[in-house]
Amino acid sequence: MNVLIFYGSYRADRAGIRLARYLVDRFAARGDAPTLVDAKAVGLPLLDRMYKEYAEGTAPPAMAALAQQIRDADAFVFVAGEYNWGPQPGLKNLTDHFLEEWFWRPAAIASYSAGRLGGARSNAAWYAILPEMGMPVIPSTLVVGPVTQTLDAEARPTGPAGESLERQFSRFADDLAWWAEAAKAQHARRAPPY
């Protein structure tokens, strides 16, 4: 499975990158092909014009490259931090640059926070955002908090919270793979309606 893992924090001390790296490692260990897409590294400006609003060949190179990566992916994982009960602006800004590129492939949400709720409120918000952008969202989810007590600086699980994350990951990944395979099979049978 070609899976893109999106991370959107722009903060100086980015604890959530631990979860993003953990997911890349775990999907790779399953034999999948994960790619981390770090919004800060991609560096798209605040949304002024969506990718589709540029004349062909005139979009910024980073945007055009990411559009192709999105079109080529089988599935997506959104590593969703929580800021003031809502989604991170960096991740939301990155996703809003695209629309049709997302269509007809499943998404999964892995949220985190420094507190015990693990980004649950942001997680819930993404369940409304992603289907509006054309992605079915799988029912399995990961809620990780406090993230620094769950994963160490090298993104290795630590303590009871890390053990819990390890137990949850298999179901999460299996669920995403099932939906990605179903979408691929349906694409082979019939083209999407739009």
Side-chain angles (χ1 to χ4, degrees), residues 24-94:
V24 168
D25 290 345
R26 290 305 183 270
F27 276 106
R30 289 171 50 94
D32 295 314
T35 302
L36 176 60
V37 178
D38 182 342
K40 187 175 181 179
V42 173
L44 296 181
L46 284 176
L47 181 63
D48 171 49
R49 187 179 307 173
M50 294 177 73
Y51 175 71
K52 69 181 182 176
E53 295 170 329
Y54 284 90
E56 190 170 334
T58 65
M63 189 184 298
L66 184 52
Q68 189 60 53
Q69 278 187 291
I70 294 169
R71 284 192 296 269
D72 291 343
D74 298 316
F76 313 108
V77 176
F78 293 85
V79 180
E82 182 175 312
Y83 290 8
N84 301 316
W85 284 49
Q88 285 171 323
L91 185 58
K92 182 71 168 76
N93 183 62
L94 179 85

Side-chain angles (χ1 to χ4, degrees), residues 130-179:
L130 299 176
E132 177 62 22
M133 299 176 80
M135 292 168 268
V137 180
I138 68 167
S140 295
T141 190
L142 295 176
V143 179
V144 179
V147 69
T148 58
Q149 293 175 25
T150 305
L151 296 163
D152 68 16
E154 283 74 45
R156 293 181 305 232
T158 182
E163 291 171 14
S164 177
L165 175 59
E166 288 280 78
R167 287 190 302 273
Q168 294 173 50
F169 174 77
S170 291
R171 179 177 177 158
F172 176 81
D174 288 345
D175 198 357
L176 184 59
W178 189 93
W179 283 99

